[in-house]
Amino acid sequence: MTDTQCPAPIGFADVVDYWAGDLTQAEEDRIEEHVFTCAECARQLAAAQALARDITSVAREGRLHSVVTDAILNRLAADGVRIRTYTLEGSGVVPCAVWADDDLVVSRIRADFEGADSVTIVTRQASGDEIARVSDIALRPGQREILNAFSAAHLRNLPATRVHVTVTGQTGSEERIIAEYTLEHAGAFDRLASRG
Amino acid sequence: MASPGTAPAEESELYRRFAPRVRLYGLKHLRDEAAADDLVQQVLLVAIERLRAGEVQNPDEIGSFILGTSRMLADSTGRKARRRERLTAQFHVPELYAEPVAESGDIEIVERCLHRLAERDRRLLVLTFYVEKTSPEIARELGVTGTVVRVARHRALERLRECVRLRQGFGGQVGREGTKR
């Protein structure tokens, strides 16, 4: 039972694959046998586990400001995260607001992204101040929708304002605007207070 | 009371060294914090009992012995949990949900560092560790190969770890790419 320096440390890639469940049974067994005899590699595994746990906490607490997927939204909903969704498609102004019991607000941005290697989404207030920018969003072939998530806690700090969303596509070194949308943000509301 | 060959100090040392490893094993295989904590208690009790009885003589064997016990008890716990899940589904008993233990200091830093990563890396980590998707599933979702997912994932987690380590050293001050504050 001595804590000596490991002569053959497990690589971080293997530690991550182990924690993610992407190894064969034999590979898993090998890592477990090593970790139970090596304090240094046990610490490495504990560090990866702690990060994985904290990523889970950030997501579960609705603190993601990012592009998400339906799989992520389904898991969040199963965990009790309250999600408000607005669909941005075509022209026209979309009315929106954030409520006291919302955890996450998601824009479903629908457009023809054909030909773009990646896209950037910039969300601005009418004043021009940026609310959020997500760059270099990778696209699947045929993808027609991007889900952009905002922490509701952050949006509650916004004043009532018109909000502009610009989607720019990158193809090689060229950039072009793919779509622009407008939302009329009415501010933050509390259902109970509004009844009184 | 300690007997043949073991003293309380050695038992404490055994606990200090192996409890975190058994807990990690439990988290990996049981996917439940409370069950992992229970596993630690059960495994270490068995280990101390065997040590006191003089059944484990070679100190180099203790790690293997504890791993073997962890596997056996986790397997039994897993079977019970699966049975409980089947019964819950059958009789529509609602699952009780326990709030995760808050570690706000680190979560703040991890949140900021997570939002400094490239968008695809962030999505990859969330899909892996929160949604618990396998690399082939994520590969299909992102339109890349499983190998690309695995390489990108460990690099992204490495970057996240470095960022967190730096921020913990400098009082957690960092900007981020996502939402402006």
Side-chain angles (χ1 to χ4, degrees), chain A residues 1-3 12-14 16-23 25 27-30 32-40 42 44-61 63-72 75-77 79 81 130-141 143 149-151 154, chain B residues 10 13-14 16-18 21-25 27-29 31 33 59-60 62-64 66-67 70-71 97-104 106-108 110-111 114-115 118-120 122-123 125-136 140-143 149-151 153-155 157-158 160-161 164-165 176-181:
Chain A
M1 279 204 311
T2 52
D3 281 353
F12 192 64
D14 283 344
V16 176
D17 281 347
Y18 168 77
W19 200 258
D22 272 331
L23 295 181
Q25 188 62 53
E27 289 168 331
E28 275 202 4
D29 289 350
R30 181 182 61 80
E32 284 165 2
E33 277 149 25
H34 184 79
V35 161
F36 271 77
T37 55
C38 173
E40 194 182 326
Q44 174 100 307
L45 178 59
Q49 182 274 332
L51 285 173
R53 177 204 58 203
D54 290 347
I55 291 166
T56 292
S57 297
V58 169
R60 191 180 278 156
E61 291 172 21
R63 292 159 77 157
L64 281 176
H65 327 278
S66 183
V67 168
V68 294
T69 65
D70 278 315
I72 295 172
R75 179 65 200 261
L76 286 166
D79 278 345
V81 174
E130 263 186 31
I131 299 168
R133 171 186 293 264
V134 189
S135 309
D136 200 22
I137 303 165
L139 298 163
R140 287 189 321 275
Q143 185 171 341
F150 300 84
S151 155
H154 174 71
Chain B
E10 284 176 304
E13 178 62 7
L14 181 87
R16 185 190 69 77
R17 282 175 185 240
F18 287 103
R21 298 180 214 188
V22 177
R23 190 167 191 279
L24 283 173
Y25 183 91
L27 287 171
K28 166 86 169 86
H29 293 277
R31 298 280 173 201
E33 300 233 351
D60 293 338
I62 193 69
S64 302
I66 291 177
L67 172 59
S70 303
R71 282 179 175 155
Y97 173 70
E99 284 293 325
V101 178
E103 292 182 25
S104 53
D106 281 350
I107 296 293
E108 286 279 324
V110 171
E111 179 189 356
L114 193 61
H115 289 100
E119 185 281 322
R120 194 179 76 165
R122 185 163 56 237
R123 204 178 341 161
L125 294 182
V126 172
L127 283 168
T128 300
F129 298 114
Y130 176 55
V131 187
E132 298 184 337
K133 287 207 170 240
T134 62
S135 56
R140 276 195 296 278
E141 188 152 343
L142 300 183
V149 167
R150 288 167 75 165
V151 171
R153 182 176 60 202
H154 83 76
R155 286 183 182 161
L157 202 65
E158 185 81 69
L160 184 70
R161 181 169 70 163
V164 170
R165 196 179 283 164
R176 67 174 170 207
E177 187 206 63
T179 309
K180 308 290 178 187
R181 276 193 169 160

Side-chain angles (χ1 to χ4, degrees), chain B residues 1-148:
Chain B
M1 191 171 68
S3 64
T6 36
E10 284 176 304
E11 290 174 5
S12 299
E13 178 62 7
L14 181 87
Y15 199 93
R16 185 190 69 77
R17 282 175 185 240
F18 287 103
R21 298 180 214 188
V22 177
R23 190 167 191 279
L24 283 173
Y25 183 91
L27 287 171
K28 166 86 169 86
H29 293 277
L30 302 173
R31 298 280 173 201
D32 181 88
E33 300 233 351
D37 289 338
D38 287 348
L39 184 72
V40 173
Q41 299 300 326
Q42 291 168 19
V43 170
L44 272 296
L45 273 175
V46 171
I48 287 168
E49 217 174 79
R50 296 291 163 86
L51 278 172
R52 285 182 182 180
E55 289 175 23
V56 184
Q57 301 288 350
N58 183 353
D60 293 338
E61 288 174 1
I62 193 69
S64 302
F65 174 76
I66 291 177
L67 172 59
T69 309
S70 303
R71 282 179 175 155
M72 191 179 66
L73 292 177
D75 188 46
S76 155
T77 306
R79 270 187 271 116
K80 280 183 201 158
R82 284 191 290 277
R83 183 167 180 273
R84 193 180 62 231
E85 276 170 20
R86 276 200 305 276
L87 289 172
T88 302
Q90 190 178 344
F91 296 109
H92 306 290
V93 180
E95 281 285 335
L96 293 174
Y97 173 70
E99 284 293 325
V101 178
E103 292 182 25
S104 53
D106 281 350
I107 296 293
E108 286 279 324
I109 294 173
V110 171
E111 179 189 356
R112 286 168 183 246
C113 288
L114 193 61
H115 289 100
R116 282 179 68 87
L117 295 178
E119 185 281 322
R120 194 179 76 165
D121 289 349
R122 185 163 56 237
R123 204 178 341 161
L124 190 54
L125 294 182
V126 172
L127 283 168
T128 300
F129 298 114
Y130 176 55
V131 187
E132 298 184 337
K133 287 207 170 240
T134 62
S135 56
E137 287 170 332
I138 297 171
R140 276 195 296 278
E141 188 152 343
L142 300 183
V144 294
T145 66
T147 307
V148 167

